[in-house]
Amino acid sequence: MSSPAQRPARRERRRAGIRIAAVLFAGVSVVMGCRLADTDGITPVPQFLAFLPWLVAPTAVGLALVLLARWWPGVVWSVVLLGLLAWFIEPYGKSGEPVGPAVASFRVLTSNVEFGQATGALTDAVRRERPDLVFVQECEYTCDAELKRTLGGTYPHRRAVEGGGSAGSVILSRFPLKAADPIPGTMGMPGAVAEVRGHAVRLQLAHPMPPLPGQVDVWKRELGRLRDFAADTSGPVLLAGDFNASQDHAAFRRILDTGLRDAARLAGDDRTPSWPARTAPTLGAQIDHVLLSADFSAQTARFLDLADTDHRALLVTITLHVRP
């Protein structure tokens, strides 16, 4: 039993715990409100949405504080937030197997090499894993030249948007490629049509601007262009790269709503983080994706750790089916 002198200090600790919990709950509530409203909001909401599953941590801390303080409205508040988080952590988008016979199985690798710094590590991974298609983001001039020199014999077909820094990107292919218009963007997003066992497959590299403070509108606009591409393209489609967005971003979900399916989700790895590589897979967000039209099934997805880049590469094994 506390003495009269101890009671004011105890009340102050209780009030402090309630204040801290309320601040935590308010921040999480803003993010969850945007998620419920199917909008990405303004800075800092898009940045926090990328780490939506990890918002369980501040909510749980707040719950512990309100339980100690016996603030029952706060307990209800936290339970509601935890319920919403559990609901939205579930995978988003369509799944299921395509109809029609399988005509070709092949492997696709996508990698952001961070201003070309991880070119050597990527080359080693490509030689080891032997994917059939390689999508490379942030492949500046030196990276582009090195890939031509080291992989040109194995991957004789390529489409690229040349550029310095983060602007350059390239698609490497074992399959013959025909030209296709790139999608306009701050960073290069080349396209192509691959001939896969006699079937035309539309390829598109994705690399919209990240949702940096002051650049969120550009990020939304460039993701919108990817969504328009997906909605307006018929036949087998493969859209791969660094989307700078996860399934918790409304702008990315609108791409999935066109009917494309996330290969990692189909293979059971829908929440495996790909960025930042320094803390993944313990902490991070899956912002590197291979999206497929309903003509494809996905068998496996593996995230590869490469030196000298802040992204993990994604390697998927997929199968093309012919619709009846």
Side-chain angles (χ1 to χ4, degrees), residues 32-33 36 52 79-89:
M32 296 309 299
L36 279 167
L52 183 141
V79 169
V80 170
L81 290 175
L82 289 171
L84 288 172
L85 285 164
W87 176 263
F88 287 127
I89 286 172

Side-chain angles (χ1 to χ4, degrees), residues 32-57:
M32 296 309 299
C34 288
R35 181 65 181 82
L36 279 167
D38 199 29
T39 179
D40 292 316
I42 60 174
T43 298
V45 173
Q47 293 83 359
F48 279 113
L49 278 169
F51 297 95
L52 183 141
W54 310 106
L55 296 180
V56 169

Side-chain angles (χ1 to χ4, degrees), residues 93-99 259 261-262 265-267 292-298 321:
K94 296 179 180 179
S95 61
E97 292 295 317
V99 295
R261 305 174 183 190
D262 195 311
R265 183 205 170 171
L266 296 177
L292 309 167
S293 63
D295 308 88
F296 293 93
S297 59
H321 297 252

